[in-house]
Amino acid sequence: MSALRSRRHREWGLAYLLLAPALLVFAVFTFYPFLRNFKLALYQNPPYPGLPAHYVGLHQVGSVLASTSFHQSLVSTLLYVVMVVPVGLIGGLLLAVAAHKAIRGMAWFRLIFSSTVVTSVAVAAVVFGTLMDPVVGLLPWLGINPHPAILENPTWALPAVSLIAVWQFLGLSFVIMTAGLQSLPDEVLEAARLDGAGGWTMFWRVTVPLLSPTLFFGLVVGTIYAFQSFGQIDILIGPQNSQFTHTDVLLYSVYQALSIQDNPGVAAVLSIVLFTILLVFTLVQLRFLERRVTYAGN
Amino acid sequence: MARVNFEGVSKAFDGALAVDDLHLDVHDGELLVLLGPSGCGKTTVLRMVAGLEDPTAGTVSIGDVIVNDVEPKDRDVAMVFQSYALYPHMTLRRNIEFPLRQQKVPAAERARRVDEAAGTLGLGDLLDRKPGQLSGGQRQRVALARAIVRDPQVFLMDEPLSNLDATLRIQTRADIVSLQRRLGTTTIYVTHDQVEAMTMGHRIAVMRDGRLQQVAAPQDLYERPANTFVASFLGSPGMNLVPASVDGAVVTVDGTRVELPAGPAVAAGPVTVGVRPEAASLAPEGIAATVVLVEQLGAEAHVICALVDGTRVVVRQENRAARPDLGDAVAIRVDPAQLLLFDADTGARLELGR
């Protein structure tokens, strides 16, 4: 009995030993900062850098949540997500359906469609920045000269930045949808053809429902991706213009509070808000949507 | 209802012939079984009727209409797939009425026809369930209901029983036969199981390597196979094929002479002798052999013997016969009236004169 117990102890010991490197990395770079962040949120930084922060309890959380800049940031973030995720998902699905045909040379289209996945945010931002340039860009070439320029325009800056995110997400969305399409059961699609389903019925009544697990996965991945957009805004708008042009999405305002305003307390509060939103959002998606998703087979 | 006709139909995939110059006429109201080992092209034939594959050459007609260029949905054929191919996100009612919805059948008639089809297949209580909540046998019946609800010209069935367990398979087999006989709908049924073929088909078309070997009623096929392939593929176990020589009406197997009622119209020389296991028996005198294996099947037994040259011969024994032991030296007697001769080279059956 005790021999058995000691062997079990040894096995547990070995398990922790093998896990230790990974646990150590997580502890140092994830768990500790995560917990430390909650402490930061309780301390207020003085207006002048260098002076010690003092404990204010939940007071700082309340004042950040009540501020207009936070509300603006929240609205911008939600608008941004709404612009990026559905368009990216539907666009990826349409491209995948279009490319899901056995036509010569289709491999090249697949390569092109999926290439945005491997393009870095910086490169994409510079390319789009050039296209949207008020002097050498696409619009002046077409004879359209919005004033102020698109990326300095409070109405158009957020849609312009979201366009880049859509473009980038399209590649991932296309890859996910293509994988989903390729795993659909051929016989069910053939049965539908024989049962008289035309292209439209086929797509809406058969393909989309069968693809719902893939669409669901794309929705979760796309939402998290959109909430974490940062590079495009930093490169094209920058901290000076982001509040004015309503492009200071939550993640970007965390960065602004920390690096520009040198205010770790506010940054900590904002990041907790972002974390909470994503957590709630993911739980809601998992709970409610998964129930409606049709999984093929048993 | 309609006849289905194949006129010189071939199908090549990347240059490899899956179906080679098929001429076949499926009669109106008939259940024709396409039988053959996997990869023989039988499913491809079925899919060409459905319109899921296009023939490389030849014409396929349903009724008297050539359908080569007709879309699958306009062919008025219903197919039952091996995997059932139900719509997993729809209730059974939705599944069964799906083809009717596509035909824009009014709701009241749709409901009536779905209830009727579901009743026929004993699915009446399950119409609000989804396929995931059903057993394999129930799913197969939903697939059948979805096919019969359309009242199509032709049923196409692609190994519909092979995912069911043995008991359910026998029961569903009988259900399909009685359904087909009652509805009288022309049916093409693909299987690799010769028992299914024998019990279900009005006629059986045997295929091998893309070529049609023989089309005949089950009993004809069993008694008068066109060649050694058909002879050995049908029956469980298949026909014994033994090398021998013939001279007039006298066949010599392993040194033992058997006198036939009539000889083939060929010159003396080597032939292949075909003997059904039930046409052979263990006797005091006959072809010398050694018992290799005895398979007890309850009502009968299969005694597997090896001739002197190593050829295996299966002898079917009734229950009352004494069972030999492994390794016993025995003698096999064959019934001359039930003996078939095949060409030693081509395998084609040789007609015996009368």
Side-chain angles (χ1 to χ4, degrees):
Chain A
M1 199 63 197
S2 71
L4 190 71
R5 193 173 298 155
S6 81
R7 206 176 83 192
R8 193 162 292 167
H9 276 292
R10 271 213 307 278
E11 281 180 10
W12 276 105
L14 182 66
Y16 281 116
L17 190 70
L18 294 172
L19 275 174
L23 281 176
L24 191 70
V25 171
F26 268 112
V28 171
F29 293 101
T30 303
F31 301 147
Y32 172 70
F34 180 77
L35 296 174
R36 176 74 196 274
N37 194 47
F38 283 95
K39 191 187 166 200
L40 278 180
L42 305 176
Y43 286 82
Q44 190 164 38
N45 294 83
Y48 307 105
L51 298 175
H54 59 279
Y55 178 80
V56 290
L58 292 173
H59 172 73
Q60 181 165 246
V61 176
S63 65
V64 167
L65 292 184
S67 68
T68 42
S69 64
F70 168 71
H71 292 158
Q72 178 56 52
S73 173
L74 199 60
V75 170
S76 297
T77 310
L78 294 179
L79 274 177
Y80 181 80
V81 169
V82 166
M83 283 189 279
V84 172
V85 180
V87 179
L89 281 181
I90 292 167
L93 176 61
L94 294 181
L95 284 180
V97 169
H100 189 58
K101 294 190 174 74
I103 298 175
R104 274 178 80 88
M106 196 46 89
W108 287 106
F109 283 97
R110 293 212 182 105
L111 187 68
I112 292 166
F113 291 160
S114 55
S115 63
T116 68
V117 177
V118 292
T119 311
S120 86
V121 181
V123 171
V126 169
V127 169
F128 273 83
T130 310
L131 285 173
M132 292 169 186
D133 189 276
V135 181
V136 300
L138 197 61
L139 288 185
W141 185 72
L142 290 170
I144 305 165
N145 289 295
H147 189 79
I150 295 177
L151 294 173
E152 291 157 17
N153 189 319
T155 313
W156 291 107
L158 190 67
V161 174
S162 73
L163 181 69
I164 306 169
V166 166
W167 182 82
Q168 280 225 290
F169 178 49
L170 217 49
L172 182 60
S173 173
F174 171 77
V175 170
I176 293 171
M177 298 300 164
T178 297
L181 281 179
Q182 284 174 348
S183 68
L184 291 190
D186 288 337
E187 293 200 333
V188 176
L189 301 177
E190 288 173 351
R193 271 176 79 189
L194 284 168
D195 281 346
W200 192 250
T201 314
M202 190 78 152
F203 182 74
W204 283 111
R205 299 252 171 258
V206 184
T207 308
V208 168
L210 287 178
L211 210 56
S212 52
T214 306
L215 290 168
F216 173 68
F217 175 70
L219 181 66
V220 174
V221 170
T223 306
I224 291 172
Y225 166 81
F227 267 104
Q228 293 184 343
S229 284
F230 175 82
Q232 304 95 318
I233 298 163
D234 195 44
I235 292 169
L236 292 178
I237 311 284
Q240 288 79 25
N241 264 341
S242 67
Q243 269 191 336
F244 167 66
T245 54
H246 306 322
T247 51
D248 56 336
V249 296
L250 272 177
L251 188 64
Y252 200 67
S253 35
V254 172
Y255 163 74
Q256 269 187 316
L258 186 69
S259 299
I260 309 298
Q261 294 156 16
D262 209 0
N263 195 336
V266 172
V269 174
L270 288 171
S271 66
I272 290 168
V273 171
L274 180 61
F275 166 75
T276 311
I277 290 176
L278 275 179
L279 182 69
V280 169
F281 198 83
T282 308
L283 288 179
V284 168
Q285 280 183 324
L286 284 174
R287 271 223 161 188
F288 289 93
L289 282 175
E290 199 171 39
R291 233 180 271 168
R292 301 194 184 183
V293 167
T294 306
Y295 288 100
N298 337 352
Chain B
M1 276 163 275
R3 63 192 272 262
V4 177
N5 187 260
F6 300 88
E7 206 63 62
V9 172
S10 297
K11 174 67 184 178
F13 292 104
D14 297 328
L17 270 182
V19 176
D20 189 1
D21 193 28
L22 175 70
H23 292 265
L24 178 62
D25 194 36
V26 185
H27 304 157
D28 188 3
E30 163 178 61
L31 194 161
L32 181 109
V33 177
L34 279 175
L35 175 69
S38 54
C40 74
K42 55 193 191 302
T43 296
T44 307
V45 171
L46 198 73
R47 291 172 61 86
M48 286 193 285
V49 180
L52 298 172
E53 304 286 355
D54 292 324
T56 312
T59 56
V60 178
S61 21
I62 300 174
D64 292 315
V65 183
I66 293 176
V67 293
N68 284 32
D69 297 321
V70 178
E71 282 291 303
K73 66 189 174 72
D74 300 323
R75 294 192 181 199
D76 198 15
V77 298
M79 188 154 167
V80 178
F81 293 87
Q82 181 178 349
S83 65
Y84 322 132
L86 300 178
Y87 309 118
H89 53 291
M90 298 183 197
T91 61
L92 296 205
R93 178 176 289 283
R94 284 282 183 157
N95 261 284
I96 298 170
E97 74 175 1
F98 187 81
L100 300 181
R101 277 179 175 264
Q102 306 316 311
Q103 293 170 13
K104 310 257 184 292
V105 174
E109 192 192 337
R110 222 159 56 205
R112 185 182 60 73
R113 283 169 67 176
V114 170
D115 288 337
E116 191 185 312
T120 304
L121 289 150
L123 295 165
D125 305 334
L126 306 171
L127 285 174
D128 295 326
R129 303 237 184 128
K130 289 196 176 172
Q133 298 166 284
L134 304 183
S135 70
Q138 288 170 326
R139 286 186 215 181
Q140 189 52 276
R141 280 187 280 145
V142 178
L144 285 169
R146 187 175 62 183
I148 66 170
V149 79
R150 295 172 53 182
D151 192 19
Q153 293 204 71
V154 182
F155 288 139
L156 304 173
M157 304 198 183
D158 187 7
E159 311 223 5
L161 305 182
S162 43
N163 284 358
L164 303 181
D165 65 48
T167 319
L168 207 52
R169 196 178 306 168
I170 292 167
Q171 186 194 327
T172 315
R173 190 168 83 196
D175 289 346
I176 292 179
V177 169
S178 66
L179 194 66
Q180 197 275 335
R181 302 294 189 265
R182 193 158 58 76
L183 299 172
T185 308
T186 311
T187 304
I188 304 178
Y189 186 105
V190 162
T191 183
H192 62 265
D193 182 336
Q194 55 93 19
V195 178
E196 260 174 45
M198 292 291 289
T199 51
M200 298 182 79
H202 289 112
R203 289 191 303 157
I204 301 172
V206 183
M207 289 186 69
R208 180 198 195 183
D209 296 340
R211 287 169 185 271
L212 184 62
Q213 304 291 307
Q214 187 177 10
V215 190
Q219 202 57 36
D220 286 351
L221 211 61
Y222 189 78
E223 288 170 3
R224 297 157 53 76
N227 55 40
T228 48
F229 174 76
V230 177
S232 59
F233 199 74
L234 276 125
S236 174
M239 186 180 280
N240 296 306
L241 296 169
V242 184
S245 62
V246 71
D247 186 0
V250 176
V251 177
T252 310
V253 182
D254 219 10
T256 307
R257 285 161 52 94
V258 180
E259 196 146 340
L260 302 179
V266 292
V271 288
T272 302
V273 166
V275 189
R276 288 282 174 204
E278 61 270 24
S281 55
L282 300 183
E285 280 185 5
I287 306 157
T290 314
V291 176
V292 178
L293 184 66
V294 178
E295 289 180 338
Q296 294 282 5
L297 296 173
E300 58 183 38
H302 297 156
V303 181
I304 296 145
C305 310
L307 303 189
V308 177
D309 67 356
T311 310
R312 297 285 168 103
V313 172
V314 181
V315 175
R316 177 171 294 166
Q317 276 195 317
E318 295 302 322
N319 215 9
R320 54 184 180 277
R323 302 275 182 257
D325 285 326
L326 243 61
D328 279 2
V330 291
I332 300 172
R333 201 189 80 85
V334 295
D335 177 4
Q338 294 188 58
L339 211 142
L340 298 178
L341 297 187
F342 299 92
D343 188 294
D345 297 324
T346 64
R349 184 166 53 83
L350 302 170
E351 281 297 336
L352 302 179
R354 40 197 90 233

